[in-house]
Amino acid sequence: MAAPFGRRLRRGAASAAIAAVAMAGLGASGAPALLPDKPGKNSDLADSQADDEPGISGDDSRPYYTDLPPLKTPAEGSGATPAGGGEAGIPATLLDAYQEAAAELNTSQPGCNLPWQLLAAIGKVESGHARGGNVDAEGTTKSPIRGPVLNGNGFANITDTDNGAYDGDKTHDRAVGPMQFIPGTWNRWGQDANGDGKRDPNNAYDAALAAAKYLCAGGRDLANDADLRRAILSYNPSDAYVRTVLSWLKFYRDGGAHEVPDGKGALPGHRSDEPTGGGGKTPGSSPSPKDPSTPPSNKPSPPPSTGGPSDPPSETPDP
């Protein structure tokens, strides 16, 4: 199959798009106010949970990569590489997928005001941009990205919903793909963004568009701080997760993003489910991330997965 249409259109335009990274739609005041550090107990957490999404609870946050962006971004228009080098880079195919998904949503749902930088921030925190852009020419991951088995041992108990088609498990579900969708959630929100006739959570284009629609559910306006927080909380009901995503969102909007070749993105080394942040990362290093398909041997941990919007749209993708 030919490369996704977005990549054909984007070549030569990425640098200009990144240079214009700031979006007026979120306002000129900078990053939204941060949430109080009370995971699972504030009203936004409760409001963000969907009654019909399996295994989602306001007290049940999930592991994610906690690496923070560099402290400095280059002066606008300077053309300099951001401090942090590869850590700040977004693999070309993932960058294209985020931008295409946001463009589609801002055409079909202009009131949502979805910035591509939000998709990039979530993709960074959930999977390290598909493990540094480890994708093929069509944007599909070269190896599976799967969360721990959801068997109720320390996290949600979600009986298999896909007969193992997406996650390789016919007994319980696992989060899958660059944007870490639970199969049951993917059945509801999955998209075919690259026109290949399949809705594949392992494909960056399909997953990014599904995440875009998911974040914009219920008529949310992401230019509104409260709606933005609720959207992020619907992905992972943790205030610390929200702060991490917002830090990357602000960094990317302030000009910190730059394109790197697929497979050359920095791999995250710190996970929220590890006592010290994980990875043993030192400045300048890019340790390999812990394989999400293998939970810690002594302490099973919940998956970095999506939850459900509190007020989904009346029309959702067919299973």
Side-chain angles (χ1 to χ4, degrees):
M1 192 187 84
F5 73 96
R7 297 200 69 183
R8 294 199 299 268
L9 294 175
R10 188 185 60 80
R11 286 301 172 198
S15 297
I18 294 174
V21 68
M23 292 187 67
L26 286 180
S29 60
L34 298 180
L35 292 170
D37 193 10
K38 297 180 180 179
K41 300 300 182 183
N42 65 55
S43 60
D44 278 344
L45 285 172
D47 289 346
S48 72
Q49 310 313 315
D51 294 336
D52 57 353
E53 292 291 351
I56 303 303
S57 151
D59 295 317
D60 183 20
S61 62
R62 289 143 179 81
Y64 55 92
Y65 290 113
T66 60
D67 301 61
L68 296 174
L71 296 177
K72 296 181 180 180
T73 57
E76 184 175 355
S78 68
T81 298
E87 178 68 16
I90 302 177
T93 294
L94 277 295
L95 175 61
D96 190 50
Y98 302 142
Q99 292 177 335
E100 288 290 340
E104 165 65 22
L105 257 291
N106 288 321
T107 297
S108 62
Q109 296 177 235
C112 180
N113 293 303
L114 171 72
W116 69 261
Q117 293 92 339
L118 176 59
L119 295 174
I122 290 175
K124 176 69 174 181
V125 170
E126 291 290 337
S127 70
H129 299 311
R131 294 176 179 158
N134 187 29
V135 297
D136 63 20
E138 309 301 330
T140 301
T141 58
K142 292 181 179 179
S143 59
I145 302 176
R146 297 171 179 164
V149 178
L150 300 178
N151 58 10
N153 187 9
F155 35 78
N157 186 346
I158 303 181
T159 302
D160 175 65
T161 60
D162 65 333
N163 196 32
Y166 297 130
D167 59 10
D169 191 323
K170 295 185 178 182
T171 304
H172 294 90
D173 272 350
R174 305 170 69 173
V176 296
M179 304 302 280
Q180 287 289 279
F181 275 94
I182 293 173
T185 307
W186 181 260
N187 284 337
R188 180 178 180 183
W189 295 94
Q191 302 291 309
D192 175 18
N194 61 357
D196 65 355
K198 299 183 296 183
R199 298 185 302 155
D200 184 0
N202 300 296
N203 180 270
Y205 290 90
D206 292 358
L209 183 58
K213 289 180 176 290
Y214 183 86
L215 292 165
C216 289
R220 289 191 183 113
D221 178 0
L222 301 185
N224 177 279
D225 288 355
D227 279 359
L228 176 61
R229 291 195 296 269
R230 290 188 181 97
I232 300 171
L233 284 166
S234 76
Y235 231 93
N236 191 332
S238 160
D239 289 337
Y241 177 86
V242 172
R243 285 192 290 273
T244 303
V245 169
L246 289 177
S247 70
W248 281 104
L249 170 60
K250 184 178 189 302
F251 179 78
Y252 289 150
R253 289 178 59 224
D254 286 350
H258 67 282
E259 179 178 323
V260 297
D262 289 345
K264 299 298 183 181
L267 300 174
H270 300 74
R271 282 170 57 98
S272 63
D273 57 332
E274 296 173 342
T276 60
K281 185 174 180 180
T282 57
S285 68
S286 298
S288 298
K290 185 172 286 188
D291 185 348
S293 68
T294 305
S297 57
N298 296 323
K299 184 181 179 182
S301 44
S305 60
T306 58
S310 59
D311 185 15
S314 58
E315 296 183 5
T316 57
D318 294 333

